[in-house]
Amino acid sequence: LECFNCKVTQTPLWRRTLDRKHSLCNACGLYYKQYNGHRPLHIRHKPSLSQMPMTPKSMTFDDMRFQAMVERMPPGQMLKALNMLESRCHVLRN
């Protein structure tokens, strides 16, 4: 299925237009029912959290400290730190 209005293919619930000719995603179907017209495309879905870049406003103090530490680290030291973290994670899992 594909939403007749916004063309998405995944939605929690599929709806139909009042004449039952077209399938609509949940968001477009609710808009259509309330306003008796198709939802404007510029009001489409918000990006998911995984698609949003981490901005300074959403970074915690620890995130900023870690980023600064990583940026100062030479490449060889980075590899050693990653290997150490991997071995510690392995110990914690067992």
Coordinates of all heavy atoms in Angstrom, one line a residue:
L1 N 0.8 -1.2 0.0 CA 0.0 0.0 0.0 C 0.9 1.3 0.0 O 2.0 1.3 0.5 CB -0.9 0.0 1.2 CG -2.2 -0.8 1.2 CD1 -2.8 -0.7 2.6 CD2 -3.1 -0.4 0.2
E2 N 0.3 2.3 -0.5 CA 1.0 3.6 -0.6 C -0.1 4.7 -0.3 O -1.2 4.6 -0.9 CB 1.6 3.8 -1.9 CG 2.3 5.1 -2.0 CD 2.9 5.3 -3.4 OE1 2.2 5.7 -4.3 OE2 4.2 5.1 -3.6
C3 N 0.3 5.6 0.5 CA -0.7 6.7 0.8 C -0.9 7.5 -0.5 O 0.0 8.0 -1.2 CB -0.1 7.6 1.9 SG -1.2 9.1 2.3
F4 N -2.2 7.7 -0.8 CA -2.6 8.5 -2.0 C -2.1 9.9 -1.9 O -1.7 10.5 -3.0 CB -4.1 8.5 -2.1 CG -4.6 9.2 -3.3 CD1 -4.5 8.7 -4.6 CD2 -5.2 10.4 -3.2 CE1 -4.9 9.4 -5.7 CE2 -5.7 11.1 -4.3 CZ -5.6 10.6 -5.5
N5 N -2.0 10.5 -0.7 CA -1.6 11.9 -0.6 C -0.1 12.1 -0.5 O 0.5 12.8 -1.3 CB -2.3 12.5 0.6 CG -2.1 14.0 0.7 OD1 -2.2 14.7 -0.2 ND2 -1.7 14.4 1.9
C6 N 0.6 11.4 0.5 CA 2.0 11.7 0.8 C 2.9 10.6 0.3 O 4.1 10.8 0.4 CB 2.2 12.0 2.2 SG 2.1 10.6 3.3
K7 N 2.4 9.5 -0.2 CA 3.2 8.4 -0.8 C 4.0 7.6 0.2 O 4.9 6.8 -0.2 CB 4.1 9.0 -1.9 CG 3.5 9.8 -2.9 CD 2.4 9.1 -3.6 CE 1.8 10.0 -4.7 NZ 0.4 9.7 -5.0
V8 N 3.8 7.7 1.5 CA 4.5 6.9 2.5 C 4.0 5.4 2.3 O 2.8 5.2 1.9 CB 4.4 7.3 3.9 CG1 5.0 8.7 4.1 CG2 3.0 7.2 4.5
T9 N 4.8 4.5 2.7 CA 4.4 3.1 2.6 C 4.3 2.4 4.0 O 3.9 1.2 4.0 CB 5.4 2.3 1.8 OG1 6.7 2.4 2.3 CG2 5.4 2.8 0.3
Q10 N 4.6 3.1 5.0 CA 4.5 2.5 6.4 C 3.7 3.5 7.3 O 4.0 4.7 7.3 CB 5.8 2.2 7.0 CG 6.6 1.1 6.3 CD 7.9 0.8 7.0 OE1 8.4 1.6 7.8 NE2 8.5 -0.3 6.6
T11 N 2.7 2.9 8.0 CA 1.9 3.7 8.9 C 1.3 2.8 9.9 O 1.1 1.6 9.7 CB 0.8 4.5 8.1 OG1 0.0 5.3 9.0 CG2 -0.1 3.5 7.4
P12 N 1.0 3.3 11.1 CA 0.4 2.4 12.1 C -1.0 2.0 11.7 O -1.5 0.9 12.1 CB 0.3 3.3 13.4 CG 1.1 4.5 13.1 CD 1.3 4.6 11.6
L13 N -1.7 2.8 10.9 CA -3.1 2.4 10.5 C -3.4 3.0 9.2 O -3.1 4.2 8.9 CB -4.1 3.0 11.5 CG -5.5 2.7 11.3 CD1 -5.8 1.2 11.5 CD2 -6.4 3.5 12.3
W14 N -3.9 2.2 8.3 CA -4.3 2.7 7.0 C -5.8 3.1 7.0 O -6.6 2.5 7.7 CB -4.2 1.6 5.9 CG -2.7 1.3 5.6 CD1 -2.0 0.3 6.0 CD2 -1.9 2.1 4.8 NE1 -0.7 0.4 5.5 CE2 -0.6 1.5 4.8 CE3 -2.1 3.3 4.1 CZ2 0.5 2.1 4.1 CZ3 -1.0 3.9 3.4 CH2 0.2 3.3 3.4
R15 N -6.1 4.2 6.4 CA -7.4 4.8 6.3 C -7.8 4.9 4.9 O -7.0 4.8 4.0 CB -7.5 6.1 7.1 CG -7.1 5.9 8.6 CD -7.1 7.3 9.3 NE -6.8 7.1 10.7 CZ -7.7 6.9 11.7 NH1 -9.0 6.9 11.4 NH2 -7.3 6.8 12.9
R16 N -9.1 5.3 4.6 CA -9.6 5.5 3.3 C -10.2 6.9 3.2 O -10.7 7.5 4.2 CB -10.6 4.5 2.9 CG -9.9 3.1 2.7 CD -10.9 2.2 1.9 NE -10.2 1.0 1.4 CZ -9.5 0.9 0.3 NH1 -9.4 1.9 -0.5 NH2 -9.0 -0.2 0.0
T17 N -10.3 7.4 2.0 CA -11.0 8.7 1.8 C -12.5 8.4 2.0 O -12.9 7.2 2.0 CB -10.8 9.2 0.3 OG1 -11.1 8.2 -0.6 CG2 -9.4 9.6 0.1
L18 N -13.3 9.4 2.1 CA -14.7 9.2 2.4 C -15.4 8.4 1.3 O -16.4 7.7 1.5 CB -15.4 10.6 2.6 CG -15.0 11.4 3.9 CD1 -15.7 12.7 3.9 CD2 -15.3 10.5 5.1
D19 N -15.0 8.6 0.1 CA -15.6 7.9 -1.1 C -15.0 6.4 -1.2 O -15.4 5.7 -2.0 CB -15.4 8.6 -2.4 CG -14.0 8.9 -2.7 OD1 -13.0 8.3 -2.1 OD2 -13.7 9.7 -3.7
R20 N -14.0 6.1 -0.3 CA -13.4 4.8 -0.2 C -12.6 4.4 -1.4 O -12.3 3.2 -1.7 CB -14.4 3.7 0.2 CG -15.2 4.1 1.5 CD -16.0 2.9 2.1 NE -15.3 1.7 2.3 CZ -14.4 1.5 3.3 NH1 -14.2 2.4 4.2 NH2 -13.9 0.3 3.5
K21 N -12.3 5.4 -2.3 CA -11.5 5.1 -3.5 C -10.0 5.0 -3.2 O -9.3 4.3 -4.0 CB -11.8 6.1 -4.5 CG -13.2 6.1 -5.1 CD -13.3 7.1 -6.2 CE -14.7 7.0 -6.8 NZ -14.9 8.1 -7.8
H22 N -9.5 5.7 -2.2 CA -8.0 5.8 -2.1 C -7.6 5.5 -0.6 O -8.3 5.8 0.3 CB -7.6 7.2 -2.4 CG -8.0 7.7 -3.7 ND1 -7.4 7.2 -4.9 CD2 -8.9 8.6 -4.1 CE1 -8.0 7.8 -5.9 NE2 -8.9 8.7 -5.5
S23 N -6.5 4.9 -0.5 CA -5.9 4.6 0.8 C -5.0 5.7 1.3 O -4.3 6.4 0.5 CB -5.0 3.3 0.7 OG -5.7 2.2 0.3
L24 N -5.1 6.0 2.5 CA -4.4 7.1 3.1 C -3.6 6.6 4.4 O -4.1 5.7 5.1 CB -5.3 8.2 3.6 CG -6.1 8.9 2.5 CD1 -7.1 9.9 3.1 CD2 -5.2 9.7 1.6
C25 N -2.5 7.2 4.6 CA -1.8 6.8 5.9 C -2.6 7.4 7.1 O -3.5 8.2 6.9 CB -0.3 7.4 5.9 SG -0.2 9.2 6.0
N26 N -2.2 7.1 8.3 CA -3.0 7.5 9.4 C -3.0 9.0 9.5 O -4.1 9.6 9.7 CB -2.3 6.9 10.7 CG -3.2 7.1 11.9 OD1 -4.4 6.8 11.9 ND2 -2.6 7.6 13.0
A27 N -1.9 9.7 9.4 CA -1.8 11.1 9.5 C -2.7 11.8 8.4 O -3.5 12.7 8.7 CB -0.4 11.6 9.4
C28 N -2.6 11.4 7.2 CA -3.4 12.0 6.1 C -4.8 11.7 6.3 O -5.7 12.5 6.0 CB -2.9 11.5 4.7 SG -1.2 12.2 4.3
G29 N -5.2 10.5 6.7 CA -6.5 10.1 6.9 C -7.2 10.9 8.0 O -8.4 11.3 7.9
L30 N -6.5 11.1 9.1 CA -7.1 11.9 10.2 C -7.3 13.4 9.7 O -8.3 14.0 10.0 CB -6.2 11.9 11.4 CG -6.1 10.6 12.1 CD1 -5.1 10.6 13.2 CD2 -7.5 10.2 12.7
Y31 N -6.3 13.9 9.0 CA -6.5 15.3 8.5 C -7.6 15.4 7.5 O -8.4 16.3 7.6 CB -5.2 15.7 7.8 CG -5.1 17.1 7.4 CD1 -4.5 18.1 8.2 CD2 -5.7 17.6 6.2 CE1 -4.5 19.4 7.8 CE2 -5.7 18.9 5.8 CZ -5.1 19.8 6.6 OH -5.1 21.1 6.3
Y32 N -7.7 14.4 6.6 CA -8.8 14.4 5.6 C -10.2 14.3 6.3 O -11.1 15.0 5.9 CB -8.7 13.1 4.7 CG -9.6 13.1 3.5 CD1 -9.2 13.8 2.3 CD2 -10.8 12.5 3.5 CE1 -10.0 13.8 1.2 CE2 -11.6 12.5 2.4 CZ -11.2 13.1 1.3 OH -12.0 13.1 0.2
K33 N -10.3 13.5 7.4 CA -11.5 13.4 8.1 C -11.9 14.7 8.8 O -13.1 15.1 8.8 CB -11.5 12.2 9.1 CG -12.7 11.9 9.8 CD -12.6 10.7 10.7 CE -13.9 10.4 11.4 NZ -13.7 9.3 12.3
Q34 N -10.9 15.3 9.4 CA -11.2 16.5 10.2 C -11.5 17.7 9.3 O -12.3 18.6 9.5 CB -10.0 16.8 11.1 CG -10.3 18.0 12.0 CD -9.2 18.2 13.0 OE1 -8.3 17.5 13.1 NE2 -9.4 19.3 13.8
Y35 N -10.7 17.9 8.2 CA -10.8 19.1 7.3 C -11.4 18.9 6.0 O -11.6 19.8 5.2 CB -9.4 19.7 7.1 CG -8.7 20.1 8.5 CD1 -7.7 19.4 9.0 CD2 -9.2 21.2 9.1 CE1 -7.1 19.7 10.2 CE2 -8.6 21.6 10.3 CZ -7.6 20.9 10.9 OH -7.0 21.2 12.1
N36 N -11.8 17.6 5.7 CA -12.5 17.3 4.5 C -11.6 17.7 3.2 O -12.1 18.2 2.2 CB -13.9 17.9 4.4 CG -14.7 17.1 3.3 OD1 -14.5 15.9 3.1 ND2 -15.7 17.7 2.8
G37 N -10.3 17.5 3.3 CA -9.4 17.8 2.3 C -8.1 17.1 2.5 O -7.8 16.7 3.7
H38 N -7.2 17.1 1.5 CA -5.9 16.4 1.7 C -5.0 17.3 2.5 O -5.0 18.5 2.4 CB -5.3 16.1 0.4 CG -6.0 14.9 -0.3 ND1 -6.0 13.6 0.2 CD2 -6.8 14.9 -1.4 CE1 -6.7 12.9 -0.6 NE2 -7.2 13.6 -1.6
R39 N -4.2 16.6 3.3 CA -3.2 17.3 4.1 C -2.1 17.9 3.3 O -1.6 17.2 2.4 CB -2.6 16.2 5.1 CG -1.6 16.8 6.1 CD -1.3 15.7 7.1 NE -0.5 14.6 6.5 CZ 0.7 14.3 6.9 NH1 1.2 14.8 8.0 NH2 1.4 13.3 6.3
P40 N -1.7 19.1 3.5 CA -0.7 19.8 2.7 C 0.6 19.0 2.9 O 1.0 18.5 4.0 CB -0.5 21.2 3.3 CG -1.8 21.4 4.0 CD -2.3 20.1 4.5
L41 N 1.4 18.8 1.9 CA 2.6 18.0 2.0 C 3.7 18.7 2.8 O 4.6 18.0 3.3 CB 3.1 17.7 0.5 CG 2.2 16.8 -0.3 CD1 2.8 16.5 -1.6 CD2 1.9 15.5 0.5
H42 N 3.7 20.0 3.0 CA 4.8 20.6 3.8 C 4.5 20.3 5.3 O 5.4 20.6 6.1 CB 4.9 22.1 3.5 CG 3.7 22.9 4.0 ND1 2.6 23.0 3.2 CD2 3.4 23.5 5.1 CE1 1.7 23.7 3.9 NE2 2.2 24.0 5.0
I43 N 3.4 19.7 5.7 CA 3.2 19.3 7.1 C 3.5 17.8 7.3 O 3.2 17.2 8.3 CB 1.7 19.5 7.5 CG1 1.3 21.0 7.2 CG2 1.4 19.2 8.9 CD1 -0.1 21.3 7.5
R44 N 4.2 17.2 6.3 CA 4.5 15.8 6.4 C 5.2 15.4 7.6 O 5.6 16.2 8.5 CB 5.2 15.3 5.2 CG 4.3 15.3 4.0 CD 4.8 14.5 2.8 NE 6.2 14.2 2.8 CZ 6.8 13.6 1.8 NH1 6.1 13.4 0.7 NH2 8.0 13.3 1.9
H45 N 5.6 14.1 7.7 CA 6.1 13.4 8.9 C 7.4 14.1 9.4 O 8.3 14.5 8.6 CB 6.4 12.0 8.5 CG 5.2 11.3 8.0 ND1 4.2 10.9 8.7 CD2 4.9 11.0 6.7 CE1 3.3 10.3 7.9 NE2 3.7 10.4 6.7
K46 N 7.6 14.1 10.7 CA 8.8 14.6 11.3 C 9.9 13.6 11.1 O 9.6 12.4 11.1 CB 8.5 14.8 12.8 CG 7.5 15.9 13.1 CD 7.3 15.9 14.6 CE 6.2 16.9 15.0 NZ 5.9 16.9 16.4
P47 N 11.1 14.0 11.0 CA 12.2 13.0 10.9 C 12.3 12.2 12.2 O 12.1 12.7 13.3 CB 13.4 13.8 10.7 CG 13.1 15.2 11.1 CD 11.6 15.3 11.0
S48 N 12.7 11.0 12.1 CA 12.9 10.1 13.3 C 14.1 10.6 14.0 O 15.0 11.3 13.4 CB 13.0 8.7 13.0 OG 14.2 8.4 12.3
L49 N 14.3 10.2 15.3 CA 15.4 10.6 16.0 C 16.7 10.1 15.4 O 17.8 10.8 15.5 CB 15.3 10.1 17.5 CG 14.3 10.7 18.3 CD1 14.2 10.1 19.7 CD2 14.5 12.2 18.5
S50 N 16.7 8.9 14.8 CA 17.9 8.4 14.2 C 18.3 9.2 13.0 O 19.5 9.1 12.6 CB 17.7 6.9 13.9 OG 16.7 6.8 12.9
Q51 N 17.4 9.9 12.4 CA 17.8 10.7 11.2 C 18.2 12.1 11.6 O 18.8 12.8 10.7 CB 16.6 10.8 10.3 CG 16.2 9.5 9.6 CD 14.9 9.6 8.9 OE1 14.0 10.5 9.2 NE2 14.6 8.7 7.9
M52 N 18.0 12.5 12.8 CA 18.3 13.9 13.2 C 19.8 13.9 13.7 O 20.2 13.1 14.5 CB 17.4 14.3 14.3 CG 16.0 14.5 13.9 SD 14.8 14.9 15.2 CE 15.5 16.3 15.9
P53 N 20.5 14.9 13.2 CA 21.9 15.0 13.6 C 21.9 15.5 15.1 O 21.0 16.2 15.5 CB 22.6 16.0 12.7 CG 21.4 16.8 12.2 CD 20.2 15.9 12.2
M54 N 22.9 15.1 15.8 CA 23.0 15.5 17.2 C 23.5 17.0 17.2 O 24.6 17.3 16.7 CB 24.0 14.7 18.0 CG 24.0 15.0 19.5 SD 25.0 13.9 20.4 CE 23.8 12.7 20.9
T55 N 22.7 17.9 17.7 CA 23.1 19.3 17.7 C 23.6 19.6 19.1 O 23.4 18.9 20.1 CB 21.8 20.2 17.4 OG1 20.9 19.9 18.5 CG2 21.2 19.8 16.1
P56 N 24.4 20.7 19.2 CA 24.9 21.1 20.5 C 23.8 21.2 21.6 O 24.0 20.9 22.7 CB 25.5 22.5 20.2 CG 26.0 22.4 18.8 CD 24.9 21.6 18.2
K57 N 22.6 21.6 21.2 CA 21.5 21.8 22.2 C 21.1 20.4 22.7 O 20.6 20.3 23.9 CB 20.3 22.4 21.5 CG 20.4 23.9 21.3 CD 19.2 24.5 20.7 CE 19.4 26.0 20.4 NZ 18.2 26.6 19.8
S58 N 21.1 19.3 21.9 CA 20.7 18.0 22.4 C 21.9 17.2 23.0 O 21.6 16.2 23.5 CB 20.1 17.2 21.2 OG 21.0 17.0 20.2
M59 N 23.1 17.8 22.9 CA 24.2 17.1 23.5 C 24.3 17.3 25.0 O 24.1 18.5 25.5 CB 25.5 17.5 22.8 CG 25.7 17.0 21.4 SD 27.2 17.6 20.6 CE 28.4 16.7 21.5
T60 N 24.6 16.3 25.8 CA 24.8 16.5 27.2 C 26.2 17.0 27.5 O 27.0 17.0 26.6 CB 24.6 15.2 28.0 OG1 25.6 14.3 27.6 CG2 23.2 14.6 27.7
F61 N 26.5 17.4 28.7 CA 27.8 17.9 29.0 C 28.8 16.7 28.8 O 29.9 17.0 28.3 CB 27.8 18.3 30.5 CG 29.2 18.8 31.0 CD1 29.7 20.0 30.5 CD2 29.9 18.0 31.9 CE1 31.0 20.4 30.9 CE2 31.1 18.5 32.3 CZ 31.7 19.6 31.8
D62 N 28.4 15.5 29.2 CA 29.3 14.4 29.0 C 29.6 14.1 27.5 O 30.7 13.7 27.1 CB 28.8 13.1 29.6 CG 28.9 13.2 31.1 OD1 29.8 13.9 31.7 OD2 28.1 12.5 31.8
D63 N 28.6 14.3 26.6 CA 28.7 14.1 25.2 C 29.8 15.1 24.7 O 30.7 14.8 23.9 CB 27.4 14.4 24.4 CG 26.4 13.3 24.7 OD1 26.8 12.2 25.0 OD2 25.2 13.6 24.6
M64 N 29.7 16.4 25.1 CA 30.6 17.4 24.7 C 32.0 17.1 25.2 O 33.0 17.3 24.4 CB 30.1 18.8 25.1 CG 28.9 19.2 24.4 SD 28.4 20.9 24.8 CE 27.4 20.6 26.3
R65 N 32.2 16.7 26.4 CA 33.5 16.3 26.9 C 34.1 15.2 26.1 O 35.3 15.2 25.8 CB 33.4 15.9 28.4 CG 33.3 17.1 29.3 CD 33.3 16.7 30.8 NE 34.2 15.6 31.1 CZ 33.9 14.7 32.1 NH1 32.9 14.8 32.8 NH2 34.8 13.8 32.4
F66 N 33.3 14.1 25.8 CA 33.8 13.0 25.1 C 34.2 13.4 23.7 O 35.2 13.0 23.2 CB 32.7 11.9 25.0 CG 33.1 10.7 24.3 CD1 34.0 9.8 24.8 CD2 32.7 10.4 23.0 CE1 34.4 8.7 24.2 CE2 33.1 9.3 22.3 CZ 34.0 8.4 22.9
Q67 N 33.4 14.3 23.0 CA 33.7 14.7 21.7 C 35.0 15.5 21.7 O 35.8 15.3 20.8 CB 32.6 15.6 21.1 CG 32.8 16.0 19.7 CD 31.6 16.9 19.2 OE1 30.8 17.4 19.9 NE2 31.6 17.0 17.9
A68 N 35.2 16.4 22.6 CA 36.4 17.1 22.7 C 37.6 16.2 22.9 O 38.7 16.4 22.3 CB 36.3 18.2 23.8
M69 N 37.5 15.2 23.8 CA 38.6 14.3 24.0 C 38.9 13.5 22.8 O 40.1 13.3 22.4 CB 38.2 13.3 25.1 CG 39.2 12.3 25.5 SD 38.7 11.0 26.7 CE 37.6 10.0 25.6
V70 N 37.9 13.0 22.1 CA 38.1 12.3 20.8 C 38.8 13.1 19.8 O 39.7 12.7 19.1 CB 36.8 11.7 20.3 CG1 37.0 11.1 18.9 CG2 36.3 10.6 21.3
E71 N 38.4 14.4 19.6 CA 39.0 15.2 18.6 C 40.5 15.5 18.9 O 41.2 15.7 17.9 CB 38.2 16.6 18.6 CG 36.9 16.4 17.9 CD 36.0 17.6 18.0 OE1 36.4 18.6 18.7 OE2 34.9 17.6 17.4
R72 N 40.9 15.5 20.2 CA 42.3 15.7 20.5 C 43.2 14.5 20.4 O 44.4 14.6 20.4 CB 42.4 16.3 21.9 CG 41.9 17.7 22.1 CD 42.2 18.3 23.4 NE 41.8 17.4 24.5 CZ 40.7 17.5 25.2 NH1 39.9 18.5 24.9 NH2 40.4 16.7 26.2
M73 N 42.5 13.3 20.3 CA 43.3 12.1 20.4 C 44.0 11.7 19.1 O 43.4 11.8 18.0 CB 42.2 11.0 20.7 CG 42.8 9.8 21.5 SD 41.4 8.6 21.8 CE 40.9 9.1 23.4
P74 N 45.3 11.3 19.1 CA 45.9 10.9 17.9 C 45.3 9.5 17.4 O 44.8 8.8 18.2 CB 47.4 10.7 18.3 CG 47.5 11.1 19.7 CD 46.1 11.4 20.3
P75 N 45.4 9.2 16.1 CA 44.7 8.0 15.6 C 45.2 6.7 16.3 O 44.4 5.9 16.6 CB 45.1 8.0 14.1 CG 45.4 9.4 13.8 CD 45.9 10.0 15.0
G76 N 46.5 6.6 16.6 CA 47.0 5.4 17.3 C 46.3 5.2 18.6 O 46.0 4.1 19.1
Q77 N 46.2 6.3 19.3 CA 45.6 6.2 20.7 C 44.1 5.9 20.6 O 43.6 5.2 21.5 CB 45.8 7.6 21.4 CG 45.5 7.5 22.9 CD 45.7 8.9 23.5 OE1 46.3 9.8 22.9 NE2 45.4 9.0 24.8
M78 N 43.5 6.4 19.6 CA 42.1 6.1 19.4 C 41.9 4.6 19.2 O 41.0 4.0 19.8 CB 41.5 6.8 18.2 CG 40.1 6.4 17.8 SD 38.9 7.0 18.9 CE 38.8 8.7 18.4
L79 N 42.7 3.9 18.4 CA 42.6 2.5 18.2 C 42.8 1.7 19.5 O 42.1 0.8 19.9 CB 43.6 2.0 17.2 CG 43.5 0.6 16.8 CD1 42.1 0.2 16.2 CD2 44.5 0.2 15.7
K80 N 43.8 2.1 20.3 CA 44.0 1.5 21.6 C 42.8 1.7 22.6 O 42.4 0.7 23.2 CB 45.3 2.1 22.3 CG 46.6 1.7 21.6 CD 47.8 2.4 22.3 CE 49.0 2.1 21.6 NZ 50.2 2.8 22.2
A81 N 42.3 2.9 22.6 CA 41.1 3.1 23.4 C 39.9 2.3 23.0 O 39.2 1.7 23.8 CB 40.7 4.6 23.4
L82 N 39.7 2.1 21.7 CA 38.6 1.3 21.2 C 38.8 -0.2 21.5 O 37.8 -0.8 21.9 CB 38.4 1.5 19.7 CG 37.9 2.8 19.2 CD1 37.9 2.9 17.7 CD2 36.5 3.1 19.7
N83 N 40.0 -0.6 21.4 CA 40.3 -2.0 21.8 C 40.1 -2.3 23.3 O 39.5 -3.3 23.7 CB 41.7 -2.4 21.4 CG 41.9 -2.6 19.9 OD1 40.9 -2.9 19.2 ND2 43.1 -2.4 19.4
M84 N 40.5 -1.3 24.1 CA 40.3 -1.4 25.6 C 38.8 -1.4 25.9 O 38.3 -2.3 26.7 CB 41.0 -0.2 26.3 CG 40.8 -0.3 27.8 SD 41.4 1.2 28.6 CE 40.2 2.4 28.0
L85 N 38.0 -0.6 25.2 CA 36.6 -0.5 25.5 C 35.9 -1.9 25.1 O 35.0 -2.4 25.7 CB 35.9 0.6 24.7 CG 36.1 2.0 25.3 CD1 35.6 3.1 24.4 CD2 35.4 2.1 26.7
E86 N 36.4 -2.4 23.9 CA 35.8 -3.6 23.4 C 36.1 -4.8 24.4 O 35.2 -5.6 24.7 CB 36.4 -4.0 22.1 CG 35.8 -5.2 21.5 CD 36.3 -5.5 20.1 OE1 37.3 -4.9 19.7 OE2 35.8 -6.4 19.4
S87 N 37.3 -4.8 25.0 CA 37.6 -5.9 25.9 C 36.8 -5.7 27.2 O 36.4 -6.7 27.8 CB 39.1 -5.9 26.2 OG 39.6 -4.7 26.9
R88 N 36.6 -4.5 27.7 CA 35.8 -4.3 28.9 C 34.4 -4.7 28.7 O 33.7 -5.2 29.5 CB 35.9 -2.8 29.3 CG 37.3 -2.5 29.9 CD 37.3 -1.1 30.5 NE 38.6 -0.9 31.1 CZ 38.9 0.2 31.7 NH1 38.0 1.2 31.8 NH2 40.1 0.4 32.3
C89 N 33.8 -4.4 27.5 CA 32.5 -4.8 27.2 C 32.4 -6.3 27.2 O 31.4 -6.8 27.6 CB 32.0 -4.2 25.8 SG 31.7 -2.4 25.9
H90 N 33.4 -7.0 26.6 CA 33.4 -8.4 26.6 C 33.3 -9.0 28.0 O 32.6 -9.9 28.3 CB 34.6 -8.9 25.9 CG 34.7 -10.4 25.8 ND1 33.8 -11.2 25.0 CD2 35.5 -11.3 26.4 CE1 34.1 -12.4 25.1 NE2 35.1 -12.6 26.0
V91 N 34.1 -8.4 28.9 CA 34.2 -8.8 30.3 C 32.8 -8.6 31.0 O 32.3 -9.5 31.7 CB 35.3 -8.1 31.1 CG1 35.2 -8.3 32.6 CG2 36.6 -8.5 30.6
L92 N 32.2 -7.5 30.7 CA 30.9 -7.2 31.3 C 29.8 -8.1 30.8 O 28.8 -8.4 31.6 CB 30.5 -5.7 31.0 CG 31.3 -4.6 31.8 CD1 30.9 -3.3 31.3 CD2 31.2 -4.7 33.3
R93 N 29.9 -8.5 29.6 CA 28.8 -9.4 29.0 C 28.9 -10.8 29.6 O 27.9 -11.5 29.7 CB 29.0 -9.5 27.5 CG 28.3 -8.3 26.8 CD 28.4 -8.5 25.3 NE 29.8 -8.3 25.0 CZ 30.2 -7.9 23.8 NH1 29.4 -7.8 22.8 NH2 31.5 -7.6 23.6
N94 N 30.1 -11.2 30.0 CA 30.3 -12.6 30.6 C 30.1 -12.7 32.1 O 29.8 -12.0 32.8 CB 31.7 -13.1 30.2 CG 31.8 -13.3 28.7 OD1 30.8 -13.6 28.0 ND2 33.0 -13.1 28.2

